[in-house]
């Protein structure tokens, strides 16, 4: 089900008004620093040119500003790894005590330094591991797989006992694209105690797509089979690859990305999309200097509705299925069961 289906009433309202409606889920970058060096990372230049500006006090103030009547979830991910911020644990727990659901995307380095409890704990933690063996892991991430897994093993049982779902994130890329490698990664995820095995795909600025040694449909069926065999849930982000192959070189005409999730980056800026950190065209304001005010005073809604006149980016996008559903709403779709008050997770 497309996320947009959960927010039918919210989207329908946005189509009829020029005032920006704050998204139910947001992303916050705690830092642009990272202690790994993934070959596929799309923010190397961003890190060099946009150093961290936000302080602990800035982040706590931002969390206080978030409109709780509209916003439910915070995902801490980023231009870097959130755990590379020395204040990460305090900021996570502050968000939880403010009654936001919290998700964390990390490479796992330093995860054993985090402290949660039964009352205050993340809804989920996704760890980008990408490989089931040390050799391929180093090729991809320039990190030490054994050290990361040992750190995870120290806390995974405790975190799961609080109710936190743990996700092993695996990337299809140049060094990880065979059925044997996926089987190996699924087995490592199961052995370590993860609840979900989530597959995503590397993207490159030249629109090059890494193909597995089979079709996307066949790969998905194989992953389902292996996850069922190992008693671990499967999550996939493969549909956008299928869409890309069917609709290559087309662009999104309308983009309601900011209504689903905007990014409060460590350089102090608010960005339209995770793929366009540091790009002036996709900048929505300065959250450190101006709080949330610029979200309501600029031309965001007009740009969302006339996206292809304002911006140009590929439709190869995590929100692509949502935009197709928005088109149905524009064309008169009615949905009596929509308007659920939930966020991304």
């Amino acid at each position: 089900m497309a996320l947009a289906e959960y927010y039918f009433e919210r989207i329908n309202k946005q189509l009829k008004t020029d005032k920006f409606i704050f998204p139910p889920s947001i992303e916050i970058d705690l830092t642009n620093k990272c202690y790994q060096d993934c070959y596929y990372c799309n923010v190397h230049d961003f890190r060099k040119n946009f150093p961290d500006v936000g302080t602990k006090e800035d982040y706590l103030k931002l969390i206080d500003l978030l409109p709780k009547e509209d916003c439910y979830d915070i995902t801490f991910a980023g231009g870097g790894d959130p755990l590379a911020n020395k204040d990460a644990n305090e900021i996570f727990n502050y968000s939880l005590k403010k009654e936001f659901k919290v998700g964390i995307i990390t490479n796992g380095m330093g995860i054993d330094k985090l402290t949660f409890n039964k009352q205050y704990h993340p809804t989920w933690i996704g760890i980008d591991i990408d490989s089931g063996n040390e050799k391929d892991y180093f090729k991809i991430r320039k990190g030490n797989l054994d050290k990361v897994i040992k750190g995870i093993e120290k806390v995974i049982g405790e975190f799961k006992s609080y109710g936190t779902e743990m996700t092993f994130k695996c990337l299809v890329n140049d060094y990880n694209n065979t059925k044997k490698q996926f089987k190996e990664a699924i087995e490592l995820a199961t052995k370590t105690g993860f609840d979900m095995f989530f597959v995503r795909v590397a993207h490159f600025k030249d629109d090059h797509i890494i193909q597995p040694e089979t079709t996307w449909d066949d790969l998905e069926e194989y992953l389902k089979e292996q996850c069922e065999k190992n008693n671990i849930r499967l999550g996939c982000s493969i549909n956008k690859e299928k869409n890309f192959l069917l609709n290559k070189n087309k662009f999104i005409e309308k983009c309601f990305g900011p209504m689903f999730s905007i990014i409060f980056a460590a350089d102090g800026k608010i960005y339209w999309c995770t793929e366009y950190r540091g790009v002036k065209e996709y900048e929505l304001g300065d959250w450190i200097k101006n709080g949330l005010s610029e979200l309501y005073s600029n031309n965001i809604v007009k740009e969302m509705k006339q996206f292809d006149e304002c911006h140009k980016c590929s439709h190869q996008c995590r929100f692509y299925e949502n935009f197709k559903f928005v088109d149905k709403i524009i064309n008169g779709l009615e949905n009596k069961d929509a308007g659920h008050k939930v966020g991304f997770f």
Side-chain angles (χ1 to χ4, degrees), residues 131-193:
S131 174
N133 70 76
E134 183 70 52
K135 184 178 179 181
D136 291 338
Y137 183 88
F138 186 79
K139 287 180 182 177
I140 299 166
R141 309 190 66 86
K142 298 296 185 290
N144 186 317
L145 177 61
D146 183 60
K147 184 176 180 179
V148 169
I149 293 296
K150 284 181 178 177
I152 294 168
E153 288 175 335
K154 288 181 183 178
V155 296
I156 192 169
E158 178 186 350
F159 290 177
K160 287 175 63 175
S161 74
Y162 299 149
T164 299
E165 180 171 280
M166 302 294 293
T167 298
F168 183 113
K169 298 182 67 189
C170 184
L171 185 80
V172 182
N173 63 76
D174 291 291
Y175 304 113
N176 187 47
N177 59 7
T178 69
K179 288 183 176 179
K180 178 182 177 182
Q181 288 171 308
F182 293 130
K183 181 176 184 291
E184 189 174 49
I186 290 169
E187 290 173 348
L188 176 61
T190 306
K191 178 183 176 183
T192 309

Side-chain angles (χ1 to χ4, degrees), residues 293-344:
S293 62
E294 289 169 287
L295 290 174
Y296 301 100
S297 62
N298 64 15
N299 218 19
I300 297 173
V301 177
K302 182 179 178 182
E303 291 186 17
M304 288 194 293
K305 293 176 180 178
Q306 300 174 356
F307 184 77
D308 58 346
E309 295 179 15
C310 304
H311 307 280
K312 289 292 182 186
C313 62
S314 173
H315 76 288
Q316 183 189 31
C317 168
R318 64 175 177 160
F319 292 127
Y320 184 69
E321 294 294 329
N322 295 291
F323 301 143
K324 290 200 298 185
F325 188 79
V326 170
D327 281 339
K328 293 180 182 179
I329 297 175
I330 292 170
N331 291 323
L333 177 69
E334 294 184 2
N335 188 336
K336 295 179 180 178
D337 297 322
H340 305 300
K341 287 199 171 184
V342 296
F344 274 173

Side-chain angles (χ1 to χ4, degrees), residues 85-97:
N85 183 315
K86 63 181 178 60
D87 299 309
N89 191 66
E90 184 175 347
I91 296 169
F92 296 157
N93 278 282
Y94 186 81
S95 304
L96 292 164
K97 289 172 183 176

Side-chain angles (χ1 to χ4, degrees), residues 30-135:
L30 293 186
T31 180
N32 292 329
K33 298 174 184 176
C34 184
Y35 298 124
Q36 291 191 340
D37 187 24
C38 302
Y39 88 96
Y40 62 81
C41 183
N42 65 354
V43 293
H44 280 117
D45 292 338
F46 176 68
R47 288 176 184 159
K48 287 188 293 186
N49 298 317
F50 297 87
D52 292 357
V53 175
T55 64
K56 179 182 75 174
E57 290 70 27
D58 289 325
Y59 286 110
L60 300 185
K61 182 179 178 181
L62 170 61
I63 292 162
D64 286 337
L65 285 174
L66 296 176
K68 296 184 72 173
E69 67 276 10
D70 291 319
C71 185
Y72 316 122
D73 311 339
I74 302 173
T75 296
F76 292 96
D81 189 279
L83 304 192
N85 183 315
K86 63 181 178 60
D87 299 309
N89 191 66
E90 184 175 347
I91 296 169
F92 296 157
N93 278 282
Y94 186 81
S95 304
L96 292 164
K97 289 172 183 176
K98 288 291 180 175
E99 300 183 345
F100 289 102
K101 291 182 180 180
V102 166
I104 301 168
I105 298 176
T106 174
N107 59 36
M109 293 181 65
I111 195 171
D112 52 331
K113 305 297 190 297
L114 299 180
T115 56
F116 302 113
N117 57 46
K118 189 69 176 177
Q119 184 176 5
Y120 300 115
H121 59 270
T123 300
W124 63 275
I125 299 176
I127 304 181
D128 292 319
I129 297 178
D130 296 338
S131 174
N133 70 76
E134 183 70 52
K135 184 178 179 181

